[in-house]
């Protein structure tokens, strides 16, 4: 019931923060994300991050917003954007589902609305569309960190790569292959797993038969937890470095801390791991608002909307002015420093988190900043 | 040793699938209607297990074995609701009306679960314990053994009900010829309601059993209904032993064949096998064709 009420109250809300200061501007930021369907877990994180950023609007910025569920179809996303575009819109927190983003891009260009997303689909920023801004590192960034940690930090040279057969899995696998190749490492085993597979012992058995020195996963949340549980039950001693699904608190909640011992994962950020007073404040505010644990998607979307609001506070009084600010500016967010690479890719850092076997909260083991070299003044 | 381990895992998975397929075939036999909400009912059973076993600080969560009868009863109640809302008002309409109404019921269940529980995957409590047994190098999850035992008991109980009791005879009479059963004084509507309750209870049990080892999300039902449908098609529409055999065959492909070949290839071979069976024996392996009723 509490969840229902929170969804209901978040569906349509408006905040006006005048705080005695002169009003710097107004921002209308609809949140169009998948709250139902197969991506609802990540979509809910996205919504929560956007809603929290709008609640925390900078002094003097008046905010209007509504949340619309885009489901999983491109048509629903387009309809939601058309509905939102009926009013005066500053920017849109847009779906992380790649197919929905691809459908919304031409419309965003027609209407002149910046789309702020955490979608990982590489092609959304390859369309030459100047209205899209991705506040989450793509596979090119995260998989480089993934491969580098395996080879440089763990010193492993015989990875077994297990990936999902979905578009997400194929993309991650392709980038992992490239990253390993660059590092002079050849995987000894590679296999795709259908998300519907209920038992992962067969693939685990085959992977171990190839005598790997590390198991590299790029699976969705449920399969990641299932694989790690079965590996722990069978006393597998080979280290596991998983994909970003593992960092999500809801994935760790499926496992006992002992099952997680020594497991690491790549991700854009891990807000529950702390790291700075600001991130800890964000995590506390998120817990208080949604009775849930934040993940990297929530933090990425939060940072993205905060950059939009900072632009409005700085005088951007139209969608075009916001687009310019996002295209040319640098934003020190909670997760990382954001700057466009000219195509709308704003995030260029990743972290590796590891579990100690005692708690479900991972510690940040390694940061990889500015992997693309886009953010000036930072060491790659 | 690993082959034995895979066999146990496959049997456990097949046993849970068999419960899903059984519930499906029960309703099919009694009403000639395909209940496409069956997968979502499995999901509802799993989430019911999650809801009934809150982890209170300082208390051990209730074991699944204590929850099982509660889940069975509550899911039977949900089955009655489903029959009253999605089947009885449409029973004299073309079969496609029931087909659509059960799909709609499934969507309502999915979205209701999303609102109540959120989208994240969850684990129901294990039946006894979440541990493993080391039998001389053979590592078996206790939950796997519990799944096999509970599924065998429920299937045997269902066979006893249908084969040895007055109620079972009435249910079978309703399934074979509702008009004749009515003429003989069998309360057909009540029998249909009981069948829905039974089929839904089986789905709930499968959900509780699966949700510990394989987790549950509001959208988990879609894949399960497909597997139930394939199991029933392989075994023969309307055949209870066929549904069980079909379910075990699917699990054999998922766990056994995929341990030699890749999972996508194993799935492809399963569909190819289904095609061969349909060509060679259109009535399925156990060959009880369900008759369409007006």
């Amino acid at each position: 019931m509490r969840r229902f009420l929170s969804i209901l109250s978040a569906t349509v809300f408006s905040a006006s923060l005048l705080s005695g200061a002169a009003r710097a501007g107004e921002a209308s930021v609809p949140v169009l994300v998948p709250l139902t369907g197969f991506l609802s877990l990540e979509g809910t994180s996205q919504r929560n991050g956007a809603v929290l950023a709008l609640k925390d609007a900078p002094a003097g910025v008046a905010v209007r917003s509504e949340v619309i569920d885009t489901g999983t179809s491109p048509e629903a996303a387009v309809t939601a954007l058309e509905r939102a575009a009926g009013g005066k819109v500053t920017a849109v927190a847009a779906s992380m589902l790649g197919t929905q983003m691809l459908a919304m891009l031409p419309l965003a260009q027609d209407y002149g609305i910046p789309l702020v997303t955490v979608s990982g689909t590489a092609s959304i920023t390859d369309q030459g569309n100047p209205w899209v801004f991705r506040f989450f590192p793509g596979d090119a960034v995260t998989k480089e960190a993934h491969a580098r940690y395996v080879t440089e930090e763990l010193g492993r040279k015989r990875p077994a790569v297990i990936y999902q057969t979905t578009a997400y899995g194929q993309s991650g696998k392709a980038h992992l292959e490239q990253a390993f190749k660059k590092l002079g490492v050849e995987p000894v085993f590679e296999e795709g797993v259908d998300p519907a597979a209920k038992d992962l012992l067969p693939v685990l058995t085959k992977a171990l038969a190839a005598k790997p020195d590390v198991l590299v996963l790029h699976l969705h949340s449920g399969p990641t937890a299932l694989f790690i549980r079965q590996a722990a039950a069978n006393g597998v001693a080979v280290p596991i470095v998983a994909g970003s699904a593992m960092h999500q608190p809801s994935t760790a909640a499926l496992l006992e801390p002992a099952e997680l011992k020594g497991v690491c994962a790549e991700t854009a950020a891990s807000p529950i791991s702390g790291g700075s007073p600001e991130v800890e404040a964000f995590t506390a505010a998120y817990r208080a608002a949604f009775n849930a644990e934040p993940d990297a998607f929530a933090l990425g979307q939060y940072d993205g909307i905060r950059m939009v609001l900072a632009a409005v506070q700085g005088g951007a009084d139209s969608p075009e002015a916001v687009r310019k600010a996002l295209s040319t500016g640098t934003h020190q967010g909670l997760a990382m420093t954001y700057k466009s690479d000219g195509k709308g890719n704003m995030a260029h850092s990743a972290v590796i988190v590891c579990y100690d076997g005692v708690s479900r909260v991972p510690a940040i083991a390694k940061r990889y900043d500015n992997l693309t070299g886009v953010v000036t003044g930072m060491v790659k | 040793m690993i082959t034995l381990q895979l066999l146990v895992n496959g049997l456990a998975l097949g046993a849970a699938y068999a419960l899903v397929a059984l519930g499906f075939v029960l309703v099919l036999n009694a009403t000639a209607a395909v209940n496409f909400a069956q997968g979502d009912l499995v999901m509802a059973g799993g989430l019911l297990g999650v809801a009934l076993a809150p982890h209170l600080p300082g208390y051990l969560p209730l074991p699944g074995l204590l929850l099982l009868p509660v889940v069975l009863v509550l899911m039977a109640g949900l089955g009655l609701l489903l029959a009253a809302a999605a089947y009885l008002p449409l029973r004299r309409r073309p079969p496609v009306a029931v087909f659509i109404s059960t799909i709609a019921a499934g969507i309502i269940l999915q979205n209701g679960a999303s609102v109540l529980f959120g989208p994240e995957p969850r684990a129901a409590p294990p039946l006894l314990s979440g541990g493993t047994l080391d039998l001389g190098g053979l590592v078996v999850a206790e939950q796997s053994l519990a799944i096999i035992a509970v599924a065998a008991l429920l299937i045997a109980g269902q066979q006893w009900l249908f084969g040895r009791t007055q109620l079972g005879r009435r249910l079978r009479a309703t399934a074979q010829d509702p008009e004749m059963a009515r003429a003989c004084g069998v309360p057909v509507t009540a029998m249909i309601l009981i069948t829905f309750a039974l089929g839904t209870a089986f789905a709930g049990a499968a959900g509780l059993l699966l949700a510990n080892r394989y987790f549950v999300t509001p959208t988990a039902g879609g894949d399960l209904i497909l597997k139930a449908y394939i199991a029933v098609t392989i075994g023969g529409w309307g055949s209870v032993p066929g549904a069980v055999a079909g379910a075990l065959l699917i699990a054999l492909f998922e766990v056994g064949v995929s341990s030699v070949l890749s999972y996508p290839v194993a799935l492809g071979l399963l569909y190819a096998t289904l095609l061969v069976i349909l060509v060679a024996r259109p009535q399925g392996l156990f060959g009880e064709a369900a008759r369409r009723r007006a």
Side-chain angles (χ1 to χ4, degrees):
Chain A
M1 181 54 73
R2 182 175 169 175
R3 182 186 294 275
F4 177 72
L5 287 173
S6 78
I7 288 172
L8 199 66
S9 64
T11 299
V12 178
F13 76 95
S14 66
S16 183
L17 297 175
L18 299 174
S19 65
R23 182 176 288 193
E26 288 186 1
S28 171
V29 186
V31 180
L32 318 181
V33 293
L35 299 175
T36 51
F38 69 89
L39 214 67
S40 55
L41 174 63
E42 294 84 353
T44 301
S45 288
Q46 210 191 341
R47 179 205 61 192
N48 294 350
V51 166
L52 203 57
L54 292 163
K55 269 187 179 174
D56 292 347
V61 177
V63 172
R64 280 185 300 110
S65 180
E66 62 175 332
V67 176
I68 302 175
D69 176 16
T70 57
T72 52
S73 73
E75 299 81 9
V78 166
T79 303
L81 184 56
E82 278 178 335
R83 178 178 145 186
K88 188 185 167 200
V89 177
T90 308
V92 163
S95 170
M96 67 185 307
L97 183 54
T99 50
Q100 293 192 328
M101 281 302 297
L102 290 167
M104 286 195 282
L105 284 171
L107 205 61
Q109 187 151 18
D110 289 346
Y111 287 125
I113 300 172
L115 301 182
V116 176
T117 186
V118 288
S119 171
T121 303
S123 55
I124 66 167
T125 50
D126 293 336
Q127 308 292 311
N129 188 318
W131 295 91
V132 62
F133 300 94
R134 185 211 310 270
F135 282 80
F136 198 83
D139 284 338
V141 172
T142 56
K143 293 300 129 184
E144 184 177 337
H146 203 164
R148 276 176 61 180
Y149 185 77
V150 163
T151 54
E152 294 170 357
E153 302 301 317
L154 299 183
R156 309 288 162 151
K157 304 291 179 202
R158 294 175 55 80
V161 178
I162 294 140
Y163 59 96
Q164 216 80 74
T165 51
T166 56
Y168 160 85
Q170 302 279 3
S171 166
K173 179 240 185 185
H175 282 92
L176 269 172
E177 263 179 357
Q178 283 172 23
F180 277 129
K181 199 173 177 182
K182 228 166 51 174
L183 294 158
V185 170
E186 182 77 33
V188 293
F189 175 86
E190 285 181 326
E191 186 162 310
V193 177
D194 192 289
K198 288 271 180 257
D199 199 306
L200 298 183
L201 185 61
V203 72
L204 173 61
T205 306
K206 282 184 288 179
L208 293 175
K211 302 273 188 293
D213 57 9
V214 60
L215 294 166
V216 176
L217 309 185
H218 187 70
L219 304 169
H220 295 299
S221 173
T224 297
L226 192 56
F227 187 94
I228 289 166
R229 178 188 276 187
Q230 292 195 300
N234 286 277
V236 174
V238 180
I240 295 173
V241 185
S244 59
M246 184 61 250
H247 97 282
Q248 290 179 276
S250 54
T251 307
L254 296 170
L255 297 158
E256 293 302 320
E259 292 173 320
L260 285 164
K261 188 171 174 58
V263 171
C264 296
E266 56 81 5
T267 176
S270 177
I272 60 169
S273 302
S276 74
E278 292 81 9
V279 171
E280 280 159 23
F282 163 83
T283 302
Y286 189 100
R287 283 173 181 152
F290 308 110
N291 193 30
E293 297 292 312
D295 58 18
F297 299 118
L299 189 53
Q301 194 64 56
Y302 177 89
D303 280 345
I305 298 301
R306 292 285 297 177
M307 188 172 180
V308 169
L309 297 176
V312 173
Q313 190 186 31
D317 56 358
S318 67
E320 171 58 23
V322 169
R323 188 194 68 76
K324 267 191 186 153
L326 296 180
S327 302
T328 57
T330 301
H331 180 68
Q332 183 56 58
L334 296 185
M336 64 188 79
T337 302
Y338 298 91
K339 184 173 173 57
S340 176
D341 64 350
K343 296 197 295 184
N345 295 308
M346 310 292 288
H348 313 282
S349 301
V351 297
I352 302 292
V353 296
C354 295
Y355 295 84
D356 61 5
V358 179
S359 89
R360 293 187 180 93
V361 177
I364 293 176
K366 180 79 183 168
R367 277 199 74 89
Y368 291 93
D369 278 320
N370 194 22
L371 284 167
T372 55
V374 165
V375 185
T376 51
M378 291 181 76
V379 180
K380 187 178 176 183
Chain B
M1 199 55 81
I2 197 70
T3 308
L4 270 176
Q5 207 168 311
L6 288 165
L7 185 69
V8 173
N9 282 14
L11 270 176
L13 194 57
Y17 284 169
L19 287 177
V20 183
L22 265 183
F24 186 81
V25 92
L26 284 177
V27 172
L28 177 74
N29 277 349
T31 63
V34 174
N35 176 15
F36 261 86
Q38 189 73 6
D40 297 303
L41 292 169
V42 176
M43 171 275 295
L47 284 176
L48 204 51
V50 171
L52 291 170
H55 290 248
L56 299 172
Y59 292 88
L60 283 173
L62 275 175
L65 202 59
L66 289 180
L67 292 176
L68 185 62
V70 182
V71 168
L72 285 170
V73 169
L74 290 175
M75 288 300 292
L78 183 61
L80 295 177
L81 274 176
L82 178 72
Y87 175 71
L88 291 179
L90 302 168
R91 61 197 293 196
R92 305 209 192 286
R93 301 286 166 87
V96 72
V98 175
F99 174 84
I100 297 296
S101 74
T102 57
I103 288 177
I107 292 169
I108 290 166
L109 280 171
Q110 265 184 46
N111 288 298
S114 280
V115 168
L116 290 171
F117 292 91
E120 58 269 17
R122 290 166 183 266
L127 281 179
L128 293 168
S129 94
T132 52
L133 297 172
D134 191 343
L135 309 171
L138 173 67
V139 180
V140 182
E142 288 176 29
Q143 178 73 359
S144 291
L145 298 177
I147 288 173
I148 295 167
V150 168
L153 275 173
L154 286 173
I155 292 167
Q158 184 258 346
Q159 288 292 81
W160 172 80
L161 173 76
F162 274 79
R164 300 294 175 93
T165 67
Q166 177 68 12
L167 175 62
R169 278 190 282 278
R170 289 177 168 194
L171 287 166
R172 278 189 294 136
T174 302
Q176 283 166 15
D177 192 334
E179 295 311 317
M180 181 58 76
R182 196 187 308 277
C184 294
V186 174
V188 169
T189 302
M191 293 302 108
I192 287 170
L193 285 170
I194 289 169
T195 304
F196 263 93
L198 205 57
T200 307
F202 273 31
L208 183 67
L209 298 175
L210 285 166
N212 171 256
R213 259 183 85 64
Y214 307 115
F215 315 127
V216 57
T217 63
T219 52
D223 173 58
L224 288 166
I225 184 61
L226 186 66
K227 282 170 181 163
Y229 200 94
I230 293 170
V232 170
T233 306
I234 287 173
W237 281 81
S239 166
V240 169
V244 175
L248 289 170
L249 191 69
I250 290 170
L252 174 75
F253 270 91
E254 270 192 36
V255 179
V257 178
S258 75
S259 68
V260 181
L261 306 165
S262 71
Y263 186 89
V265 172
L267 216 55
L269 283 175
L270 171 65
Y271 290 122
T273 306
L274 172 66
L275 209 60
V276 169
I277 289 170
L278 285 175
V279 170
R281 277 185 68 86
Q283 72 274 36
L285 293 176
F286 287 73
E288 280 184 36
R291 288 172 299 142
R292 290 272 161 218
R293 285 180 280 272

